[in-house]
């Protein structure tokens, strides 16, 4: 299954917004302040990880698809081809506290209170499962294992 960049896909739209923010100067400065260098390689590694997470595919597959398609590299804002081993090496250099500190600082700057008192928020849009079994007249809501209760 090839990696397809479809502008109508909500995942692609969200990734574009995220990548615009990731490519800004402030993000590069935060990476540099947290000792996450070389900044361009770290940004590429973050983008590849995000693409893999959003589409639920393997990182190595994402790298291969991006290297094979100049159109995908342009759509996802990559400047050049990628090397899988270099990207793995980039993430192995940083511990989880460095990454967490960077993410929290970046989110705090991005989602700070603006002048009118409105705030931007991040919403978890995880699918909610709803099951209705007609033969037992039972309902199930939520993320956990299905639980059935007879209407009473």
């Amino acid at each position: 299954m090839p990696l397809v960049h479809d502008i109508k896909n909500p995942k692609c739209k969200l990734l574009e917004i995220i990548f615009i923010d990731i490519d800004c100067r402030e993000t590069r400065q935060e990476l540099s302040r947290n000792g996450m260098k070389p900044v361009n390689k770290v940004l590429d590694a973050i983008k590849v990880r995000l693409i893999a997470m959003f589409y639920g595919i393997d990182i190595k597959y994402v790298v291969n698809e991006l290297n094979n398609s100049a159109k995908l590299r342009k759509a996802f804002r990559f400047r050049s081809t990628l090397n899988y081993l270099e990207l793995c090496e980039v993430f192995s250099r940083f511990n989880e506290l460095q990454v967490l500190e960077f993410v929290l600082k970046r989110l705090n700057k991005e989602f700070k209170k603006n002048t009118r008192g409105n705030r931007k928020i991040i919403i978890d849009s995880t699918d909610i499962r709803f099951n209705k079994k007609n033969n037992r007249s039972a309902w199930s809501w939520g993320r956990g294992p299905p639980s059935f209760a007879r209407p009473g």
Side-chain angles (χ1 to χ4, degrees):
M1 176 179 91
L3 181 61
V4 178
H5 180 72
D6 182 15
I7 298 171
K8 297 175 185 174
N9 186 347
K11 288 181 181 181
C12 286
K13 288 181 183 179
L14 183 58
L15 273 175
E16 284 181 17
I17 293 169
I18 291 170
F19 287 172
I20 288 170
D21 184 58
I22 285 176
D23 284 334
C24 74
R25 192 175 108 230
E26 291 86 11
T27 302
R28 292 174 185 276
Q29 289 173 343
E30 282 298 324
L31 286 170
S32 183
R33 277 189 218 121
N34 287 320
M36 300 175 85
K37 297 176 184 175
V39 174
N40 288 336
K41 291 285 182 194
V42 173
L43 287 175
D44 287 346
I46 290 171
K47 288 180 184 181
V48 168
R49 287 259 174 134
L50 286 172
I51 293 169
M53 286 181 355
F54 269 70
Y55 289 100
I57 52 180
D58 188 44
I59 292 173
K60 194 167 194 171
Y61 180 75
V62 173
V63 171
N64 288 336
E65 287 292 313
L66 288 169
N67 286 339
N68 293 335
S69 173
K71 184 179 174 185
L72 275 178
R73 283 195 305 273
K74 183 179 178 185
F76 287 124
R77 298 172 177 260
F78 286 95
R79 292 172 186 81
S80 62
T81 58
L82 307 167
N83 183 342
Y84 176 71
L85 294 176
E86 285 179 9
L87 294 178
C88 291
E89 188 266 330
V90 165
F91 268 115
S92 68
R93 275 189 270 151
F94 310 113
N95 62 25
E96 58 203 33
L97 292 177
Q98 279 180 300
V99 176
L100 181 64
E101 185 178 350
F102 160 72
V103 170
L104 291 176
K105 283 181 180 178
R106 190 67 196 127
L107 286 174
N108 284 335
K109 283 187 178 182
E110 186 65 29
F111 296 105
K112 64 185 175 188
K113 192 173 183 177
N114 68 13
T115 55
R116 294 186 180 176
N118 297 327
R119 290 184 180 214
K120 296 178 185 176
I121 60 170
I122 299 174
I123 299 174
D124 180 13
S125 62
T126 307
D127 294 338
I128 297 175
R129 186 181 63 234
F130 174 75
N131 293 328
K132 179 182 181 230
K133 293 209 171 191
N134 291 330
N135 59 350
R136 292 177 57 190
S137 298
W139 300 81
S140 169
W141 289 84
R143 295 181 183 176
S147 60
F148 299 101
R150 295 201 178 258

